[in-house]
Amino acid sequence: MRLIIVKAFLARENLIREGKRVDRRAKVLDFGDDEVTEYAILSHRWVTEQEVDYDEMVGLAKMDVEERDEIRQRDGYQKILQSCKQAQEDGYDWLWVDTCCIDKRSSAELSEAINSMYRWYENAKVCYAYLHDVPGSSLPTVNDKERYPDFRGWPEWFSRGIGDKRTLAPTLHNITGIPEDILTLGLDGNRPCVAQIMSWAAHRTTTRVEDRAYSLMGLLDVNMPMLYGEGKKAFHRLQLEIIRASNDQSIFAWHPSGERRQPGSILADDPRDFANCGTMELMDHDEFIEFVKKDVPEEELDSIEDRLGSFPVTNRGIQIWLLLSPDGDLFQVRLPCRAYPLGPPVTITVVLWESNHYKWPMPLFAPIPPPKEPQWQLRQVYLRYQVLPHRDITFEIDDSALTENGFTCCAAYPEEYTGNTLTMTSDHPLCVKVYSDSLTNRCFVVGLGQSFGKDWIHVFIEIPQPSELPAMNKYWCRAPKHALQMNEARSGAQQVCIMQTRLPQTTRILQISSIKWKSSRRCGVKLEVFHDPGFSDVSGHWTAFHMIPSRGLMIFDRQNKCGSYAIDEVPSNFSDAPDGIKLGDYGHFTNSEEFCREGNLFTDLDPLSLIITPRQYRIYSVDYALVCNLTNVRHLNSLKPVVLSLPSDDNLKSLLNSFSTRLTNKYLVTKVTQYFDYFLSRKTRYLCDIAKPYVWYRNESAGSTSEERSGDGLRAETEGDEG
């Protein structure tokens, strides 16, 4: 380490002050070994543009008078001068000050200094604290928010890092949160747990974000390279280094400081997340066993210590054995540490998503109660530490059909979510809209949000009265489940999803339609209500449909037998066609999954004088082939067979709507093609794409009727157009 030579520095200052000639070759800085050198050290708050750096310290004697005097008048120079005088008075020949003893032009020297700084402070014989904003020589003993409004009522130095500390230990404890015994005796005795040490930095600030992590390395006995520019990733790296060097599970016991609103990394984002861990301590093996032995099979008790003793960091996550209890979609986890002396084990909450477990952020306004009868299991899991990608999603809601049927949107939470265009962000990932039925005076709630980067929509029908506010925690906790269900329902790039739910104490069903293109950040949501006395599903589930753009034809997803091909960039699922199949044929599938033709739109039904002209395409690319016999994809590409397809126009849509009630539960041949199989059958093969128009599908469960109010109550009338 490079140190100030106290006598040389004071001698040079005296010569300059007396106007005498200064030896420009005289050294005021030299290297020393912190293990054997007796030196003093300065702790202070950096003040921008007032500090003296390495070049200015060594080159002061070579400067012209005007530049030299400007440096000597700085507050940064004066605190070095006063520290040197104090060190000389106390009998120390060496002093270390971070502003001028590190050549920051050298990244290697800077990195070495930061990694060694804790040891340098620890090995110093005395540490002088310079409080630039404290008038006089006495330390304030009471909180003064009027004098120090920006630093929790204490001098700024206490917000940066930590007189006689032994005498002032009670006051320093009140200001910093560091226990008195640590202040007086140091860390050599009963070393605090990781979470408690982190809590000491919860209210500290630094000029660079990365320094919040780097300044903790010495206290936590880890080293890592400096990567300025990485932002809060530095704190994530620090925690991973701690995990690699320690089996202290209190590192997982943090609580979000208010910034994190979604499940995510098991690692904290900031030291502030450990603000409530000031009294946390580890539990030894016997204490922990005593608390959990009633919940763990006796044959597993002996292996707990070994299993909890290590948790390696892998590219999938942190591989660890934990004591878990399922709580709905979440899991409660017991850790071998406690929040206060003699307390029970700390419990945190995680959520399972795609085989990995993530930290669940507990909203301060809605704590999750512990399970009534916890079933604890000792399981090996992966705790995800990688940061999840995030994309905002905008919901565009059309609820005009509800308004027409007597429903009103009576509330939205959060309250700032007004209107029907709502954008979900990482800070605001959830919104609920409460709809009231003027007929029954009952409500239902539509929840919209995002979780794990996936958007979700769900209907909740538990609220009986408009005056009762929704419990946000209920929707918050169910978000991962609903996001997973909706994500599983969407299997293609272009999808329409439908959910139907029966409203309580009525024969009406609520239908939610959602359309979202895979590459888009916008999701269209349409809310409608229909009358159907026979519909009984109250849970609500999503059914996905492929959609042909501009055609209004949504097709029920069926597994194809031959392959999926892109026609004008629109996916098509072909199957082997029965002999004589024609475009526009309709029918049903037998139990053996064979298509049974019943008729043809163009020959059996009156087209209402509508002109419907089939379109022709050529298959120009093959997305994939799932095929039994169609093995030569390359050959198919070279043939580019012609495909006949139903058109994309309003005439076809009108035709489908007009005969929807007559063709309920029927499938329709929407495309046909043929090609000659050179390699196997040596015959012409016929393929078709069979779909179920959505207007036909909807008639299977909903009677296509709407409710109207009259003096006698509810009356059902058939809708004329289902488009």
Side-chain angles (χ1 to χ4, degrees):
M1 64 187 302
R2 188 183 284 108
L3 295 160
I4 299 174
I5 308 171
V6 172
K7 291 181 180 179
F9 176 84
L10 292 177
R12 186 182 69 177
E13 172 60 22
N14 288 335
L15 291 173
I16 294 174
R17 180 169 49 81
E18 294 171 1
K20 298 180 179 179
R21 185 174 181 274
V22 180
D23 184 357
R24 296 187 175 189
R25 296 173 298 175
K27 294 174 61 176
V28 293
L29 294 175
D30 203 355
F31 287 96
D33 186 345
D34 64 288
E35 299 289 345
V36 297
T37 304
E38 293 189 353
Y39 61 93
I41 203 166
L42 176 65
S43 178
H44 64 112
R45 164 71 174 95
W46 279 51
V47 179
T48 305
E49 299 180 354
Q50 288 293 312
E51 305 301 337
V52 178
D53 63 21
Y54 169 80
D55 286 337
E56 292 170 328
M57 175 61 80
V58 298
L60 190 71
K62 302 175 184 178
M63 297 177 183
D64 57 47
V65 174
E66 183 177 349
E67 183 178 5
R68 181 191 300 170
D69 288 345
E70 186 275 325
I71 292 175
R72 292 176 58 242
Q73 292 172 7
R74 294 180 192 171
D75 290 342
Y77 185 89
Q78 289 300 312
K79 63 186 171 188
I80 295 174
L81 176 60
Q82 297 304 319
S83 297
C84 283
K85 290 180 178 179
Q86 186 65 49
Q88 186 178 56
E89 182 178 330
D90 294 337
Y92 297 104
D93 296 330
W94 304 91
L95 172 70
W96 188 85
V97 182
D98 57 352
T99 54
C100 60
C101 290
I102 305 172
D103 184 357
K104 299 176 182 64
R105 296 171 301 180
S106 168
S107 58
E109 183 172 335
L110 178 61
S111 179
E112 178 189 5
I114 294 176
N115 277 280
S116 305
M117 199 170 296
Y118 176 82
R119 190 185 78 240
W120 292 349
Y121 274 95
E122 184 179 40
N123 289 339
K125 295 301 179 180
V126 64
C127 178
Y128 302 130
Y130 180 79
L131 280 63
H132 72 283
D133 53 355
V134 176
S137 58
S138 60
L139 181 71
T141 57
V142 294
N143 187 287
D144 188 348
K145 291 186 178 180
E146 184 176 348
R147 178 180 290 275
Y148 309 108
D150 297 328
F151 304 101
R152 301 172 59 244
W154 299 104
E156 187 178 358
W157 179 82
F158 290 106
S159 74
R160 306 290 296 200
I162 148 169
D164 183 340
K165 69 177 182 179
R166 289 175 174 80
T167 304
L168 298 173
T171 301
L172 293 174
H173 166 68
N174 291 334
I175 299 173
T176 65
I178 302 175
E180 292 184 37
D181 61 323
I182 300 296
L183 291 169
T184 56
L185 302 176
L187 295 172
D188 294 335
N190 186 18
R191 189 178 183 86
C193 66
V194 168
Q196 184 182 144
I197 294 176
M198 291 284 199
S199 74
W200 302 342
H203 301 293
R204 307 293 190 264
T205 59
T206 56
T207 303
R208 301 288 295 268
V209 173
E210 298 86 350
D211 286 336
R212 301 203 69 191
Y214 303 158
S215 63
L216 285 167
M217 292 190 300
L219 276 172
L220 295 163
D221 197 23
V222 295
N223 294 298
M224 64 182 194
M226 308 299 104
L227 299 173
Y228 283 103
E230 65 176 333
K232 71 177 185 180
K233 289 183 180 179
F235 193 58
H236 284 188
R237 283 202 301 126
L238 174 69
Q239 293 168 86
L240 289 176
E241 290 301 323
I242 294 169
I243 291 170
R244 292 186 177 101
S246 167
N247 62 358
D248 186 339
Q249 291 191 21
S250 73
I251 196 171
F252 306 127
W254 55 272
H255 182 91
S257 59
E259 296 180 357
R260 185 182 292 193
R261 294 287 189 236
Q262 295 211 67
S265 170
I266 192 65
L267 304 178
D269 292 332
D270 190 275
R272 286 175 292 182
D273 294 339
F274 291 90
N276 296 324
C277 298
T279 58
M280 189 165 292
E281 61 182 33
L282 294 179
M283 300 177 69
D284 62 35
H285 174 66
D286 292 338
E287 288 179 306
F288 187 62
I289 291 297
E290 188 64 28
F291 272 102
V292 304
K293 65 180 181 181
K294 65 180 181 300
D295 303 318
V296 180
E298 187 174 352
E299 60 271 17
E300 294 187 1
L301 287 175
D302 293 337
S303 64
I304 285 183
E305 183 174 16
D306 292 336
R307 290 179 173 178
L308 298 182
S310 63
F311 32 98
V313 177
T314 73
N315 59 355
R316 176 177 170 181
I318 300 169
Q319 186 179 11
I320 188 171
W321 285 89
L322 292 174
L323 199 60
L324 300 97
S325 174
D327 182 12
D329 300 319
L330 309 177
F331 292 86
Q332 303 294 318
V333 179
R334 280 180 172 172
L335 301 177
C337 57
R338 53 194 174 199
Y340 51 88
L342 304 180
V346 168
T347 300
I348 65 171
T349 305
V350 298
V351 60
L352 179 64
W353 177 269
E354 295 181 343
S355 76
N356 288 316
H357 288 76
Y358 296 80
K359 179 84 171 189
W360 181 258
M362 304 289 288
L364 295 177
F365 59 88
I368 298 176
K372 295 179 180 179
E373 296 182 1
Q375 302 294 322
W376 295 97
Q377 307 167 6
L378 188 63
R379 292 172 51 187
Q380 188 178 50
V381 301
Y382 285 90
L383 299 177
R384 190 78 171 174
Y385 61 83
Q386 293 89 341
V387 177
L388 286 170
H390 168 76
R391 297 181 68 189
D392 294 351
I393 179 72
T394 297
F395 293 98
E396 296 178 346
I397 305 171
D398 179 2
D399 57 3
S400 57
L402 295 185
T403 304
E404 294 170 359
N405 283 273
F407 289 85
T408 58
C409 182
C410 57
Y413 301 89
E415 294 181 357
E416 59 266 26
Y417 276 164
T418 59
N420 286 336
T421 300
L422 312 174
T423 298
M424 304 291 112
T425 67
S426 58
D427 293 332
H428 297 90
L430 170 65
C431 173
V432 297
K433 295 180 76 71
V434 184
Y435 289 90
S436 173
D437 182 0
S438 59
L439 178 69
T440 62
N441 199 33
R442 294 181 65 88
C443 293
F444 66 85
V445 172
V446 176
L448 309 102
Q450 62 161 327
S451 185
F452 292 99
K454 307 294 183 181
D455 58 287
W456 64 271
I457 310 166
H458 198 74
V459 180
F460 304 90
I461 59 174
E462 297 92 336
I463 296 184
Q465 299 294 333
S467 59
E468 296 187 18
L469 301 180
M472 293 292 287
N473 183 52
K474 173 172 54 182
Y475 314 118
W476 185 280
C477 296
R478 296 178 185 177
K481 175 183 177 181
H482 299 320
L484 182 62
Q485 291 173 342
M486 198 158 189
N487 187 50
E488 290 176 345
R490 293 192 181 114
S491 58
Q494 298 172 352
Q495 285 283 320
V496 170
C497 293
I498 305 292
M499 172 190 285
Q500 293 180 331
T501 305
R502 181 173 62 83
L503 297 178
Q505 297 183 352
T506 180
T507 57
R508 287 182 292 185
I509 59 173
L510 173 70
Q511 176 174 287
I512 301 181
S513 306
S514 169
I515 180 169
K516 178 174 180 287
W517 272 258
K518 192 172 184 179
S519 60
S520 174
R521 299 186 183 185
R522 306 184 78 83
C523 179
V525 182
K526 186 174 180 60
L527 306 177
E528 301 172 276
V529 65
F530 302 97
H531 176 63
D532 182 13
F535 188 84
S536 59
D537 188 2
V538 296
S539 60
H541 63 278
W542 288 102
T543 302
F545 299 83
H546 290 301
M547 188 190 75
I548 301 176
S550 305
R551 191 178 303 171
L553 175 66
M554 291 167 282
I555 58 181
F556 193 62
D557 195 9
R558 296 188 63 86
Q559 184 176 1
N560 62 308
K561 295 181 180 179
C562 289
S564 178
Y565 309 95
I567 303 175
D568 280 2
E569 300 183 353
V570 177
S572 299
N573 294 310
F574 285 110
S575 299
D576 281 311
D579 291 339
I581 199 76
K582 295 180 180 179
L583 185 70
D585 283 350
Y586 61 87
H588 65 276
F589 282 90
T590 65
N591 292 335
S592 59
E593 292 296 314
E594 297 295 330
F595 180 71
C596 182
R597 179 182 179 276
E598 299 180 23
N600 185 278
L601 279 182
F602 304 113
T603 59
D604 298 354
L605 301 176
D606 180 5
L608 301 178
S609 300
L610 298 173
I611 299 176
I612 299 177
T613 304
R615 300 182 64 183
Q616 292 188 7
Y617 304 87
R618 287 190 180 276
I619 297 180
Y620 69 89
S621 67
V622 179
D623 291 337
Y624 59 88
L626 298 177
V627 181
C628 313
N629 297 325
L630 188 56
T631 56
N632 198 312
V633 174
R634 181 177 180 183
H635 181 65
L636 178 61
N637 273 330
S638 66
L639 292 177
K640 294 184 173 59
V642 173
V643 178
L644 288 180
S645 171
L646 293 178
S648 301
D649 57 27
D650 292 335
N651 286 347
L652 176 66
K653 183 177 180 181
S654 297
L655 180 64
L656 295 176
N657 286 331
S658 298
F659 295 100
S660 60
T661 55
R662 296 175 56 182
L663 298 180
T664 298
N665 203 27
K666 305 301 180 186
Y667 288 86
L668 177 65
V669 176
T670 62
K671 299 184 183 72
V672 292
T673 188
Q674 65 183 34
Y675 76 100
F676 187 80
D677 186 352
Y678 286 94
F679 298 97
L680 295 175
S681 65
R682 307 293 296 179
K683 297 179 181 178
T684 298
R685 290 193 64 184
Y686 299 92
L687 302 176
C688 64
D689 191 2
I690 301 177
K692 179 183 291 188
Y694 175 61
V695 291
W696 299 1
Y697 169 76
R698 191 171 69 183
N699 287 331
E700 296 177 39
S701 57
S704 254
T705 58
S706 64
E707 297 173 344
E708 291 189 0
R709 288 164 173 75
S710 67
D712 299 327
L714 297 179
R715 178 167 57 88
E717 292 186 354
T718 303
E719 289 185 331
D721 189 336
E722 293 227 356

